[in-house]
Amino acid sequence: AGRPEFCAASAANLSFVPDASYDHAVSFAVMMYISDTTVACTIAAELLRIVKPGGKIFIGQANDPEMGSLRPPNSPSQGYWEVPRWFWYKFAYERGLKLRVLSAEEVYSKRLF
């Protein structure tokens, strides 16, 4: 095992990462900056491509409406676009994937992996 690597790249183009390279992939506070579902689909497909069969992908949004009660008072979402939940169901269904949408309480109170 060599040294860990760090790189900054577009989430929509992870072509430098070989297929099925990782057990898990995490994308947090990324989708809230995405302009539409076409780009969100590209990013999600890239995450799916780099994860090994049977692996898990966690996609979290800091502006998820369910997280509102966890934010400090008077700090609403900054108006970022939000990938609608129906998109994730459609994405998973079209690819035969198992999808689990977690509530904010589940995310913050349990170990996910």
Side-chain angles (χ1 to χ4, degrees):
R3 295 182 65 193
E5 291 183 33
F6 175 83
C7 71
S10 167
N13 180 8
L14 301 175
S15 59
F16 59 93
V17 179
D19 294 356
S21 296
Y22 296 99
D23 294 320
H24 308 293
V26 176
S27 170
F28 189 80
V30 172
M31 294 297 181
M32 62 195 220
Y33 295 102
I34 304 308
S35 59
D36 60 47
T37 55
T38 302
V39 178
C41 187
T42 300
I43 292 170
E46 277 291 88
L47 294 174
L48 185 60
R49 182 186 65 76
I50 67 171
V51 172
K52 295 175 185 175
K56 294 182 181 181
I57 298 171
F58 175 82
I59 298 174
Q61 290 186 187
N63 67 336
D64 187 322
E66 290 187 15
M67 293 175 63
S69 64
L70 301 172
R71 291 189 192 104
N74 302 319
S75 62
S77 171
Q78 299 299 307
Y80 300 122
W81 185 79
E82 180 179 322
V83 178
R85 286 197 176 197
W86 64 260
F87 167 81
W88 300 114
Y89 289 103
K90 182 176 186 281
F91 181 87
Y93 176 78
E94 289 175 347
R95 290 159 180 80
L97 302 172
K98 180 180 174 183
L99 174 69
R100 184 169 163 215
V101 177
L102 303 173
S103 69
E105 289 176 352
E106 288 179 281
V107 171
Y108 291 104
S109 66
K110 297 179 183 175
R111 182 183 166 134
L112 298 176
F113 296 108

